Amino acid sequence: MALTAVLRLPARALLRPWALLRGVALGRTEAAAGIRNGARRFGSQHVLVEPAAAAGVAVMKLRNPPVNSLSLELLTELVISLEKLENDKAFRGVILTSDCPNVFSSGLDLRELCGRNPARYAEFWKAVQEMWLRFYLSNLVLVAAINGACPAGGCLLSLTCDYRVLADNPKYLMGLNETLLGIVAPFWFKDSIMNTIGHRATEQALQLGSLLPPAEALRVGMVDQVVPEDQLLSTTLSVMAKWLAVPDHARQLTKSMIRQATADHLLKQRDADIQNFVSFISKDAIQKSLQTYLEKLKQKKG
Amino acid sequence: MALTAVLRLPARALLRPWALLRGVALGRTEAAAGIRNGARRFGSQHVLVEPAAAAGVAVMKLRNPPVNSLSLELLTELVISLEKLENDKAFRGVILTSDCPNVFSSGLDLRELCGRNPARYAEFWKAVQEMWLRFYLSNLVLVAAINGACPAGGCLLSLTCDYRVLADNPKYLMGLNETLLGIVAPFWFKDSIMNTIGHRATEQALQLGSLLPPAEALRVGMVDQVVPEDQLLSTTLSVMAKWLAVPDHARQLTKSMIRQATADHLLKQRDADIQNFVSFISKDAIQKSLQTYLEKLKQKKG
Amino acid sequence: MALTAVLRLPARALLRPWALLRGVALGRTEAAAGIRNGARRFGSQHVLVEPAAAAGVAVMKLRNPPVNSLSLELLTELVISLEKLENDKAFRGVILTSDCPNVFSSGLDLRELCGRNPARYAEFWKAVQEMWLRFYLSNLVLVAAINGACPAGGCLLSLTCDYRVLADNPKYLMGLNETLLGIVAPFWFKDSIMNTIGHRATEQALQLGSLLPPAEALRVGMVDQVVPEDQLLSTTLSVMAKWLAVPDHARQLTKSMIRQATADHLLKQRDADIQNFVSFISKDAIQKSLQTYLEKLKQKKG
């Protein structure tokens, strides 16, 4: 394809999102790896919560194989797990990471976007909003240990955190690539990324649906640090220690002062946003496009 | 002048704007170079529109010698040319560049700002607003191939584009230098540059009327790339290919989501903004200052 | 302390604020160094105002030993001194610096925050607001020559300036470190720093209460230049010359256009902000925390 020759991003950067979502499209539901040994505190089917090696810190691992697609179930479990940690005085910080190899999260589960009825679409979208609102405004310190590809809704989830550390692997691309799938990230996805990388970089990243390799993600500020993969957890723990050195109350009030207006932007029009989503995703053109895509993936796999 | 010794910008950077505008002030109206050979699609007196060497892409060249000053006529033709392209399904992207050597555009035509009546000032200002609104919100991909000096209104025009590539020539200074002429860039000029280089850099660039050489323009983010002059067009085409790889509909909705609020800022007070301009430019002090300046230029030239 | 091993900031960066404020807490009131020789134009007990070696420029020196803590008296004198300079046609620019060694300003005087009655807290807070509003919107060019540590309110004062030059000394840490003292910077402190270093850097700096060494302060944009200490004044004068090359009227209107909205944010809720402060600072928990801290410092000193 001649076009790729003139692209600044390598061809695989454009092709990657489809690849990442392949497993999802095919509906693989590999059996969970079973209960881990060790001191799991809270658990649910798709979210493991374990105490970290540091006081007051929990590690929350997404476990929805093969690619941690954000299904209604996973979104709900994420919110419940976070709420439990917020209500447990023993915890002040959470490290958010993936239990699936090579993928942090592939983003919204495409199966939730295809062939469902409006009520289900609305329920699903409300859960996406809820996840974003709860994580973005959490009074806990959230640090993302990004140990795999992080496109679309996976990127959004990481953007809710207070700090992002990305493992240095050229396959771990990151960004809000919705346009490349022919869909549009809603305004609060845009607000999230704009608060992180600024207005101009957002204009480019969001229109182009850029999936950035680690060095580029660091350069634009989408992540705060890039480290060798085997140092990811230790780095994240170091970062967490720095954040936990700050008195909770002052830090929480400061966080809220900075973030509340952005959250209010959605809160003030939450129902309208749901209606917009349901209306958009129900369009024949969008459904056909997504269906065609899913069929192709199944054939490839088949 | 001792002062220049302590300035970070070279002296010529401060002197350049006057030099650039000299031709305009003298009212030179060199005959247009005649119809170009090749497949010109749309044409007008001051705007050449040619298909580029890539499918779906047009090259729009400003041709108002000697310095592409933005007269009422040129502004009107720019808007009409863009509208034609937007209505032609054959085109998805536009490369905006200059047909005049060494100057992209010197900015607003000073002759439109001097010795006219209020109705004419109002008509002119409405045309400046219209140009900005149409280009800033265009559903086409706009890439600026900046092949010459780019001060004031010329810089504003480039800031409406989705991407800016600047030829690496130390004479090609770029910025909103209005303050150095004793005038004030209106709030939507400020919004444009702030969305591009951020709040703090805008505070400096706009107050100082900074005209930046290529390396500096790149550093603050006023342009996205600086390339050797002979690679300007090829680079621009590469960039365009990347933007055209994105489905139009998703990209357009995303662009609108990001830019509409800034455009609304003007749209909501468009008439008041015209009145402000007419009132400001009609002031005796401003008129005297501009007249004196034009006289000086004529004498220098004479 | 094991914790410090994992912190990115050196331990002294976290410990510094307490150290800086020690003198204040102990209520040292070393005699002022006496009237300086030379052509002092305006003077008050804690603010020296001298003409600089450049036409139209005054040097304003904070002199509230040992650490230039911002007492009600100093804040009031700062505002009066600035107003005098604004009303004196001879001056177009002010260089703001410290007359106390190693400290630009340690920030708000903690003695103003402890054991006073609500009316006094309200009076003090109004003076802090007034300082910020007057300096942030001053029609003079303000350049900060930061010749010492610059935490909390000292940092806020420097952020009101048009340009900041910091002497390159690793002890000259800078930042809004309120959270480390268990208190919360109000929204207009947040607005000030966000307009300077952007949204994302503010999220980190303000929550962590980061005190940055010169290289880091420059990297995030908290200062515009870092220079060897013996070049601080000459650099500041060079910067000032560049700003004074711009016609005052155009520069002032431009500054106002950029900054007024941020000032209005406070102006529209000034009384509520005072009430919030009085209510917050009067809390038993906050008072106990501050009192305990002051006692400790006295014991250490004693």
Side-chain angles (χ1 to χ4, degrees):
Chain A
M1 188 165 93
L3 187 62
T4 58
V6 296
L7 297 178
R8 196 171 57 171
L9 282 179
R12 70 173 180 284
L14 288 167
L15 299 172
R16 173 69 49 189
W18 317 96
L20 288 178
L21 297 167
R22 192 176 303 155
V24 178
L26 290 169
R28 289 203 330 234
T29 53
E30 292 170 5
I35 304 297
R36 294 301 177 89
N37 54 3
R40 206 181 71 186
R41 284 290 280 262
F42 309 120
S44 57
Q45 197 178 353
H46 301 305
V47 179
L48 292 171
V49 181
E50 301 165 353
V57 183
V59 178
M60 188 186 283
K61 292 182 180 173
L62 279 69
R63 190 183 59 181
N64 191 18
V67 293
N68 281 332
S69 58
L70 299 168
S71 61
L72 177 56
E73 203 174 355
L74 175 52
L75 290 168
T76 307
E77 290 183 16
L78 277 169
V79 168
I80 291 172
S81 299
L82 184 68
E83 202 169 1
K84 280 186 186 167
L85 287 168
E86 288 174 340
N87 291 334
D88 185 334
K89 299 283 183 194
F91 293 105
R92 299 172 59 213
V94 175
I95 291 170
L96 190 64
T97 194
S98 164
D99 195 54
C100 297
N102 300 316
V103 183
F104 179 77
S105 162
S106 63
L108 303 186
D109 190 337
L110 291 189
R111 290 165 300 182
E112 302 279 5
L113 308 182
C114 271
R116 309 272 188 160
N117 64 45
R120 169 72 186 208
Y121 288 142
E123 185 186 8
F124 176 67
W125 198 247
K126 194 170 185 180
V128 181
Q129 292 177 334
E130 191 69 16
M131 176 274 285
W132 181 73
L133 288 166
R134 293 296 191 98
F135 277 73
Y136 192 66
L137 294 177
S138 175
N139 60 18
L140 297 172
V141 175
L142 301 188
V143 178
I146 307 173
N147 55 347
C150 191
C155 180
L156 179 75
L157 176 58
S158 79
L159 290 174
T160 65
C161 294
D162 295 299
Y163 200 90
R164 281 161 290 286
V165 186
L166 174 59
D168 193 7
N169 183 324
K171 293 183 184 169
Y172 296 175
L173 302 174
M174 187 168 174
L176 295 175
N177 60 316
E178 278 78 358
T179 57
L180 292 185
L181 289 96
I183 59 179
V184 179
F187 71 88
W188 40 286
F189 283 51
K190 181 260 292 173
D191 291 343
S192 294
I193 192 170
M194 201 175 275
N195 286 351
T196 308
I197 67 172
H199 194 287
R200 173 60 192 145
T202 295
E203 279 206 336
Q204 289 194 71
L206 215 55
Q207 288 188 72
L208 292 173
S210 308
L211 286 173
L212 306 179
E216 196 69 2
L218 181 64
R219 195 187 59 77
V220 304
M222 204 177 279
V223 296
D224 301 296
Q225 265 184 279
V226 170
V227 299
E229 194 144 10
D230 61 0
Q231 296 168 27
L232 184 61
L233 188 61
S234 63
T235 302
T236 313
L237 285 168
S238 297
V239 167
M240 183 60 83
K242 189 172 150 191
W243 283 75
L244 293 184
V246 183
D248 280 338
H249 189 62
R251 184 191 55 72
Q252 289 162 353
L253 288 173
T254 301
K255 180 174 181 174
S256 167
M257 175 175 65
I258 296 175
R259 294 195 164 188
Q260 191 64 50
T262 301
D264 286 344
H265 196 189
L266 172 58
L267 285 169
K268 279 171 190 162
Q269 46 190 318
R270 195 167 175 179
D271 288 340
D273 182 63
I274 292 174
Q275 290 314 311
N276 283 343
F277 171 76
V278 173
S279 158
F280 179 81
I281 210 69
S282 303
K283 278 189 216 286
D284 282 349
I286 300 295
Q287 281 296 311
K288 269 182 196 163
S289 162
L290 289 171
Q291 295 283 6
T292 306
Y293 175 58
L294 289 175
E295 289 301 322
K296 269 188 204 161
L297 290 175
K298 281 184 193 168
Q299 285 163 16
K300 268 188 193 167
K301 186 74 183 180
Chain B
M1 188 165 94
L3 186 61
T4 58
V6 296
L7 297 178
R8 197 171 55 171
L9 281 178
R12 70 173 180 284
L14 287 167
L15 298 172
R16 175 69 50 192
W18 317 94
L20 289 178
L21 297 167
R22 192 175 302 155
V24 179
L26 291 170
R28 286 195 343 224
T29 55
E30 290 168 6
I35 304 296
R36 293 303 178 86
N37 54 3
R40 206 181 70 186
R41 283 291 280 265
F42 310 119
S44 59
Q45 199 178 349
H46 302 304
V47 179
L48 292 171
V49 180
E50 301 165 353
V57 182
V59 178
M60 187 186 284
K61 292 182 181 173
L62 279 68
R63 191 184 60 182
N64 191 19
V67 293
N68 282 333
S69 59
L70 299 169
S71 61
L72 177 56
E73 203 174 357
L74 176 51
L75 290 167
T76 307
E77 290 183 15
L78 278 168
V79 168
I80 292 173
S81 299
L82 184 69
E83 202 170 2
K84 280 186 186 167
L85 288 168
E86 287 174 341
N87 292 333
D88 186 335
K89 300 282 183 195
F91 293 105
R92 300 171 59 214
V94 176
I95 292 170
L96 190 64
T97 193
S98 165
D99 195 55
C100 297
N102 300 317
V103 182
F104 179 77
S105 163
S106 63
L108 304 185
D109 190 337
L110 291 190
R111 289 166 301 183
E112 300 280 5
L113 308 182
C114 270
R116 310 271 188 161
N117 64 45
R120 170 72 187 207
Y121 287 141
E123 185 186 8
F124 176 68
W125 199 247
K126 194 171 183 177
V128 181
Q129 292 177 335
E130 190 69 17
M131 176 276 285
W132 181 73
L133 288 166
R134 293 298 191 96
F135 278 73
Y136 191 67
L137 294 178
S138 175
N139 60 21
L140 297 172
V141 175
L142 301 189
V143 178
I146 307 173
N147 55 346
C150 192
C155 180
L156 179 74
L157 176 59
S158 79
L159 290 174
T160 65
C161 293
D162 295 300
Y163 200 89
R164 282 160 290 287
V165 186
L166 173 60
D168 193 6
N169 183 324
K171 293 182 186 170
Y172 296 175
L173 302 174
M174 187 168 175
L176 295 175
N177 59 318
E178 279 77 0
T179 56
L180 292 185
L181 290 96
I183 58 179
V184 179
F187 71 86
W188 39 286
F189 283 52
K190 179 261 293 174
D191 291 343
S192 294
I193 192 170
M194 201 174 274
N195 286 351
T196 308
I197 67 173
H199 194 287
R200 173 60 193 145
T202 295
E203 279 205 337
Q204 289 194 70
L206 215 56
Q207 287 188 73
L208 292 173
S210 308
L211 285 173
L212 306 179
E216 196 69 2
L218 182 64
R219 195 187 59 78
V220 303
M222 204 178 280
V223 296
D224 300 296
Q225 266 185 279
V226 170
V227 300
E229 194 144 11
D230 60 0
Q231 296 169 26
L232 184 61
L233 189 61
S234 63
T235 302
T236 313
L237 286 168
S238 297
V239 167
M240 183 61 83
K242 189 173 149 190
W243 283 74
L244 294 184
V246 183
D248 281 338
H249 188 64
R251 183 191 55 72
Q252 289 161 354
L253 286 173
T254 301
K255 181 174 181 173
S256 167
M257 174 175 65
I258 297 174
R259 294 195 165 188
Q260 191 66 49
T262 302
D264 286 345
H265 196 190
L266 174 57
L267 285 168
K268 278 172 190 162
Q269 47 189 320
R270 196 168 175 179
D271 288 340
D273 182 62
I274 292 175
Q275 291 313 311
N276 283 343
F277 172 75
V278 174
S279 158
F280 178 79
I281 209 70
S282 303
K283 279 188 215 286
D284 282 349
I286 300 295
Q287 281 296 310
K288 269 184 196 161
S289 161
L290 288 171
Q291 293 284 6
T292 304
Y293 174 58
L294 289 174
E295 288 302 322
K296 269 188 205 161
L297 290 176
K298 278 183 193 169
Q299 284 165 15
K300 268 187 194 168
K301 186 75 184 180
Chain C
M1 187 164 95
L3 187 62
T4 59
V6 296
L7 297 178
R8 197 170 57 169
L9 282 178
R12 70 172 180 284
L14 288 167
L15 299 172
R16 175 69 49 191
W18 317 94
L20 288 177
L21 297 166
R22 192 174 304 156
V24 180
L26 291 169
R28 287 201 334 230
T29 54
E30 291 169 4
I35 305 295
R36 293 301 177 86
N37 55 2
R40 205 181 71 187
R41 284 290 281 263
F42 310 120
S44 57
Q45 198 180 349
H46 301 305
V47 180
L48 292 171
V49 181
E50 302 165 352
V57 182
V59 178
M60 186 185 283
K61 292 182 181 172
L62 280 68
R63 192 185 57 182
N64 191 19
V67 293
N68 282 332
S69 59
L70 299 169
S71 61
L72 177 57
E73 202 173 358
L74 176 51
L75 290 167
T76 307
E77 290 183 16
L78 278 168
V79 168
I80 291 173
S81 300
L82 184 69
E83 201 169 3
K84 281 186 185 167
L85 287 168
E86 287 174 340
N87 292 333
D88 185 336
K89 299 283 182 194
F91 293 105
R92 300 172 59 214
V94 176
I95 292 169
L96 190 64
T97 195
S98 165
D99 195 55
C100 297
N102 299 318
V103 182
F104 179 77
S105 163
S106 63
L108 304 185
D109 190 336
L110 291 190
R111 289 165 301 182
E112 301 280 5
L113 308 182
C114 270
R116 310 270 188 162
N117 64 45
R120 170 71 186 209
Y121 287 142
E123 185 186 6
F124 177 69
W125 198 246
K126 195 170 184 180
V128 181
Q129 293 176 334
E130 191 68 16
M131 177 277 285
W132 181 73
L133 288 166
R134 293 297 191 96
F135 277 73
Y136 191 66
L137 294 177
S138 176
N139 59 19
L140 298 171
V141 175
L142 302 189
V143 178
I146 307 172
N147 55 347
C150 193
C155 181
L156 178 75
L157 176 59
S158 79
L159 290 173
T160 65
C161 293
D162 296 299
Y163 200 90
R164 281 160 290 286
V165 186
L166 173 60
D168 193 7
N169 183 323
K171 293 182 185 170
Y172 296 175
L173 302 174
M174 187 168 176
L176 295 175
N177 60 318
E178 279 77 359
T179 55
L180 292 186
L181 290 95
I183 57 179
V184 179
F187 71 86
W188 40 286
F189 283 51
K190 181 261 292 174
D191 291 343
S192 293
I193 193 170
M194 201 175 272
N195 286 352
T196 307
I197 67 172
H199 194 287
R200 173 60 192 145
T202 295
E203 279 205 336
Q204 289 193 70
L206 215 56
Q207 287 188 71
L208 292 173
S210 307
L211 285 173
L212 306 178
E216 196 69 4
L218 181 64
R219 195 187 60 77
V220 303
M222 205 178 278
V223 296
D224 301 296
Q225 266 185 279
V226 171
V227 299
E229 195 144 11
D230 60 0
Q231 295 169 27
L232 184 61
L233 189 60
S234 64
T235 302
T236 312
L237 285 168
S238 296
V239 168
M240 183 60 84
K242 188 173 151 190
W243 284 74
L244 294 183
V246 182
D248 281 338
H249 189 62
R251 183 191 54 72
Q252 288 161 355
L253 287 173
T254 301
K255 182 174 180 174
S256 168
M257 174 175 65
I258 297 174
R259 294 195 165 188
Q260 191 66 49
T262 301
D264 285 346
H265 196 189
L266 172 58
L267 286 168
K268 279 173 189 160
Q269 45 189 320
R270 196 168 175 179
D271 288 340
D273 182 62
I274 292 174
Q275 290 314 311
N276 283 342
F277 170 75
V278 174
S279 158
F280 178 80
I281 210 69
S282 303
K283 278 188 215 285
D284 282 349
I286 300 295
Q287 281 295 313
K288 269 184 195 161
S289 162
L290 288 171
Q291 295 283 8
T292 305
Y293 176 57
L294 289 174
E295 289 302 322
K296 269 188 204 162
L297 290 176
K298 279 183 194 169
Q299 285 165 15
K300 268 188 192 168
K301 186 72 183 180

